[in-house]
């Protein structure tokens, strides 16, 4: 099998578009289309079920896509194994982290690491927990940190630390010590993250504890969007305190006490246990273990 053609096919499925795949690969769209057709001819099977300008992988195409991702994950792992021999004088560190960790907790640590190892190129990728897990499984990350437990048998997780979560509202009647709501919780609008987010998981756990199974919901794409939406006067939200601290200080939102125990969320370091860890990643992991560096 031609691995060059397979790589193009994987890019097309990942991008969901021939043109976006061509842009990512820095080649022309006709070249991408030709490569996929040539791979189909070589394998004597249809890999993409086409309908007009849209497509989706056929059953054999989906199987080939899964195998292809595994092949290229092993290729990346082999490159990383060789790069590990260069030590810390040069190299690259790719960190993947759930959005809150990437935005608030990691920047001070990255700044320290950069001062210690100025010749290491650092890339920080943020996404929800599900996205970071997928990138780690694909061997695209050297270090990964997520919010909440991960139920993926290929991954080992270790507790990093826990952060405080708060319920917020812009309603001045809901002071910090208020436990009586003007409306039942099921009638409140809850501003939430998307499925796969650690914040969404924490919100759903709280609502389950409160006995609210089918709340009115508004979905947004980040914790900052939750804070801004709530501060505009829409409903309630659950976010890490670190995300809401500035708006709380300014009085634009308030912390709401629903009479539950303090809400804390576990943050985890995750890794593939059988994958070689580079010297660069080991050095950064050592900083993560130093709790005095966490703001």
């Amino acid at each position: 099998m031609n691995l060059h053609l397979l790589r193009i096919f994987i890019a097309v499925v990942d991008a969901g578009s021939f043109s976006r795949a061509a842009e990512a690969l820095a080649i022309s769209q006709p070249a991408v289309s030709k490569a996929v057709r040539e791979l189909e001819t070589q394998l004597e099977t249809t890999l993409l079920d086409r309908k007009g300008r849209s497509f989706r992988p056929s059953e054999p195409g989906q199987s080939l896509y899964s195998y292809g991702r595994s092949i290229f994950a092993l290729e990346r792992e082999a490159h990383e194994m060789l790069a590990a021999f260069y030590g810390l004088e040069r190299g690259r560190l790719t960190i993947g982290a759930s959005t809150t960790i990437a935005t608030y907790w990691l920047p001070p640590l990255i700044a320290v690491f950069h001062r210690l190892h100025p010749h290491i190129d650092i890339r920080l990728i943020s996404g929800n927990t599900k996205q970071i897990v997928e990138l780690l499984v694909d061997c695209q990350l050297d270090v990964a940190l997520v919010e909440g437990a991960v139920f993926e048998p290929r991954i080992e997780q270790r507790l990093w630390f826990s952060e405080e979560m708060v319920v917020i509202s812009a309603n001045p009647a809901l002071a910090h010590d208020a436990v009586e709501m003007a409306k039942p919780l099921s009638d409140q609008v809850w501003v939430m993250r998307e499925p796969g987010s650690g914040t969404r998981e924490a919100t759903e756990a709280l609502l389950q504890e409160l006995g609210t199974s089918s709340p009115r919901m508004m979905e947004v794409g980040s914790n900052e969007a939750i804070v801004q939406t709530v501060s505009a006067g829409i409903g309630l939200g659950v976010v890490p305190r670190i995300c809401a601290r500035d708006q709380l200080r300014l009085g634009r939102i308030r912390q709401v006490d629903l009479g539950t125990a303090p809400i804390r969320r576990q943050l985890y370091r995750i890794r593939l246990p059988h994958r070689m860890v580079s010297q660069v990643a080991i050095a950064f992991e050592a900083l993560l273990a130093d709790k005095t560096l966490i703001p």
Side-chain angles (χ1 to χ4, degrees):
M1 182 185 300
N2 187 310
L3 292 183
H4 173 66
L5 299 180
L6 178 60
R7 194 184 304 274
I8 293 175
F9 170 70
I10 297 296
V12 169
V13 177
D14 281 338
S17 160
F18 283 87
S19 58
R20 286 195 294 269
E23 184 177 350
L25 295 169
I27 60 178
S28 69
Q29 182 175 334
V32 170
S33 300
K34 180 181 177 183
V36 173
R37 288 196 302 271
E38 187 175 340
L39 184 61
E40 289 178 318
T41 299
Q42 288 183 5
L43 299 177
E44 298 181 344
T45 189
T46 299
L47 299 175
L48 298 176
D49 290 329
R50 299 165 176 83
K51 186 175 182 180
R53 294 188 176 183
S54 64
F55 65 83
R56 65 178 182 179
S58 64
E59 186 172 348
Q62 185 61 51
S63 296
L64 180 64
Y65 172 75
S66 299
Y67 277 110
R69 285 183 57 159
S70 298
I71 289 169
F72 295 125
L74 285 172
E75 179 189 47
R76 285 189 291 272
E77 187 174 348
H79 282 300
E80 290 165 358
M81 180 273 294
L82 294 173
F85 291 102
Y86 291 121
L88 297 176
E89 293 305 314
R90 55 177 174 166
R92 184 173 190 176
L93 176 67
T94 302
I95 307 165
S98 297
T99 309
T100 302
I101 298 174
T103 304
Y104 295 96
W105 299 115
L106 282 184
L109 293 169
I110 291 174
V112 172
F113 187 83
H114 178 67
R115 287 196 295 271
L116 294 172
H117 309 290
H119 301 297
I120 300 296
D121 294 328
I122 302 171
R123 183 186 183 202
L124 175 60
I125 300 173
S126 65
N128 64 36
T129 296
K130 181 175 180 291
Q131 292 166 338
I132 297 304
V133 167
E134 290 173 351
L135 289 171
L136 180 64
V137 168
D138 282 348
C139 295
Q140 296 190 43
L141 303 175
D142 301 306
V143 177
L145 301 107
V146 296
E147 306 150 2
V150 173
F151 303 100
E152 163 57 63
R154 289 169 289 183
I155 285 179
E156 173 186 282
Q157 61 182 16
R158 290 174 287 170
L159 179 64
W160 184 31
F161 77 102
S162 63
E163 65 178 355
E164 182 185 4
M165 308 283 287
V166 292
V167 182
I168 56 172
S169 170
N171 186 343
L174 300 178
H176 180 274
D177 59 352
V179 295
E180 294 296 329
M181 306 291 290
K183 297 187 290 185
L185 288 174
S186 58
D187 291 339
Q188 301 285 339
V189 175
W190 289 84
V191 186
M192 298 189 191
R193 287 284 302 279
E194 74 285 353
S197 159
T199 301
R200 173 68 169 261
E201 181 183 324
T203 305
E204 290 176 341
L206 173 65
L207 291 172
Q208 184 175 8
E209 179 184 351
L210 295 169
T212 304
S213 58
S214 300
R216 298 170 61 199
M217 186 185 75
M218 177 181 295
E219 187 175 298
V220 297
S222 69
N223 290 328
E224 290 70 25
I226 292 177
V227 173
Q228 293 299 327
T229 302
V230 169
S231 115
I234 299 178
L236 302 170
V238 179
V239 293
R241 178 179 288 279
I242 196 169
C243 299
R245 61 185 177 184
D246 292 340
Q247 296 281 38
L248 286 168
R249 287 172 187 161
L250 293 170
R252 292 175 180 164
I253 56 175
R254 292 162 177 79
Q255 181 179 345
V256 180
D257 184 355
L258 297 177
T260 61
I263 309 168
R264 299 202 69 83
R265 174 171 70 175
Q266 306 302 319
L267 307 182
Y268 291 92
R269 298 153 64 183
I270 59 174
R271 60 185 292 269
L272 298 173
H274 303 299
R275 180 183 173 197
M276 175 174 282
V277 181
S278 70
Q279 293 299 313
V280 175
I282 290 171
F284 190 79
E285 290 263 4
L287 286 184
L288 292 176
D290 187 348
K291 297 299 189 290
T292 64
L293 298 176
I294 299 175

